[in-house]
């Protein structure tokens, strides 16, 4: 659990998997910020990932690499620059070194609320990989 939360605090980018209404998958790396409960992303509302997140809100995020991975399934809520809660944009920029608020006007924000979080590094960890299910933490110390 501790290692998974450290990865959410430390990593700069995350793989973001979405699909359109026909099931066509899209996988892209995006900068993110973890606020301790949700993940914040920013991308253009005109690209496939932005369109998919707006349409369905369903997303799978993959942090780390294949032998030290945190997978998060969740629901994304789109927010405009004007709807962004105070402090989120500044915290995102401080962590990632890039400010989407200063970029192209088509950038929107997405707040991802996790439904399920899994973490493992090797086959031996597969059995106890679920850290969260149905939005509820399954382990202590969160």
């Amino acid at each position: 659990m501790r290692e998974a939360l450290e990865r959410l605090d430390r990593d700069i980018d995350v793989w973001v998997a979405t699909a359109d209404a026909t099931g066509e998958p899209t996988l892209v790396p995006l900068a993110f910020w973890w606020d301790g409960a949700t993940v914040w992303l920013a991308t253009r509302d005109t690209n496939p990932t932005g369109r998919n997140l707006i349409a369905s809100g369903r997303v799978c995020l993959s942090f780390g690499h294949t032998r030290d991975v945190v997978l998060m399934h969740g629901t994304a809520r789109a927010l405009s620059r004007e709807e962004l809660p105070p402090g989120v944009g500044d915290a995102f920029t401080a962590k990632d070194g890039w400010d989407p608020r200063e970029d192209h006007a088509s950038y929107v924000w997405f707040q991802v609320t996790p439904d399920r979080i899994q973490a493992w590094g090797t086959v031996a960890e597969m059995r106890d990989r679920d850290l969260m299910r149905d939005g509820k933490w399954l382990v202590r110390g969160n």
Side-chain angles (χ1 to χ4, degrees), residues 71-119:
L71 292 178
M72 180 182 295
H73 295 263
T75 305
R77 176 175 72 113
L79 295 101
S80 68
R81 293 173 194 210
E82 297 76 30
E83 296 170 314
L84 197 63
V88 170
D90 291 341
F92 184 98
T93 301
K95 178 179 181 261
D96 296 305
W98 167 64
D99 191 346
R101 299 169 295 180
E102 302 296 325
D103 213 314
H104 195 272
S106 65
Y107 275 91
V108 294
W109 294 83
F110 295 94
Q111 181 183 26
V112 177
T113 301
D115 299 323
R116 185 174 188 188
I117 299 176
Q118 298 176 299

Side-chain angles (χ1 to χ4, degrees), residues 1-14 32 34-37 39 61-65 67-72 95 116-121 125 128-132 137 139-142:
M1 169 77 173
R2 180 182 50 79
E3 293 88 0
L5 292 176
E6 286 174 2
R7 177 163 294 291
L8 295 175
D9 285 333
R10 178 183 68 238
D11 286 7
I12 302 298
D13 298 312
V14 60
F32 77 95
W34 168 252
D35 68 9
V39 172
L61 305 177
S62 179
F63 305 85
H65 52 83
R67 296 215 174 234
D68 185 15
V69 67
V70 175
L71 292 178
M72 180 182 295
K95 178 179 181 261
R116 185 174 188 188
I117 299 176
Q118 298 176 299
W120 69 88
E125 296 173 331
D128 298 318
R129 69 180 174 261
D130 287 324
L131 304 179
M132 177 186 283
W137 288 101
V139 293
R140 296 177 189 248
N142 44 36

Side-chain angles (χ1 to χ4, degrees), residues 43-62:
T43 191
R44 292 180 183 226
D45 60 5
T46 55
N47 68 27
T49 299
R51 289 192 311 264
N52 295 345
L53 288 172
I54 290 168
S56 75
R58 299 301 302 153
V59 64
C60 181
L61 305 177
S62 179

